[in-house]
Amino acid sequence: MEQYFSATQKMEQEVMFPSLLRGVFPQQEGAAPATGGRADLYERYQLLKAIKPVVEKGLASVTDQSPTAADADADAAADAVDAQLEERLSHHLAGLQQVLTHLTRDTNALTRRYSQILEQISPSEGQPSW
């Protein structure tokens, strides 16, 4: 979770001009760029930015829940299904981990590609830009 938040924070700090990502498609190692039906990096940037607050809100709602007396009564009645719930929870957490790993990888790739684009359009270091 921390790696995901770190990667999105870095992306938000580095990508100052998201419009530079329009029409740029992600490339896989050794593969030609594919444009048929795939989102460009600008669309991915927008998606990654939109997902972050959803993940943050979801995490906050999970950590803000505190047990009540009614929850204690429900817990006593639910002992019979605990093993099943633990298995389901484990399955969902594994899925969440996979999704966050994928989002982190996409975010890091987008940030690297943006840096490459900036290097291509910026003047050489020896010349002042004013």
Side-chain angles (χ1 to χ4, degrees), residues 42-101:
Y42 179 78
E43 291 174 28
R44 284 190 177 203
Y45 173 80
Q46 295 297 330
L47 177 66
L48 292 166
K49 277 193 62 107
I51 289 172
K52 183 182 178 189
V54 173
V55 172
E56 288 173 331
K57 181 182 176 191
L59 180 62
S61 68
V62 168
T63 58
D64 288 346
Q65 294 177 355
S66 58
T68 64
D71 290 337
D73 292 340
D75 287 343
D79 284 340
V81 294
D82 279 349
Q84 204 175 30
L85 290 175
E86 287 177 24
E87 184 179 326
R88 288 174 58 197
L89 177 63
S90 176
H91 173 75
H92 287 290
L93 289 176
L96 176 62
Q97 179 63 37
Q98 288 176 343
V99 168
L100 288 174
T101 298

Side-chain angles (χ1 to χ4, degrees), residues 24-34 38 41 44 109 113 116:
V24 178
F25 292 88
Q27 293 182 353
Q28 296 177 352
E29 294 298 319
R38 294 187 60 187
L41 290 181
R44 284 190 177 203
R113 185 66 177 115
Q116 291 171 350

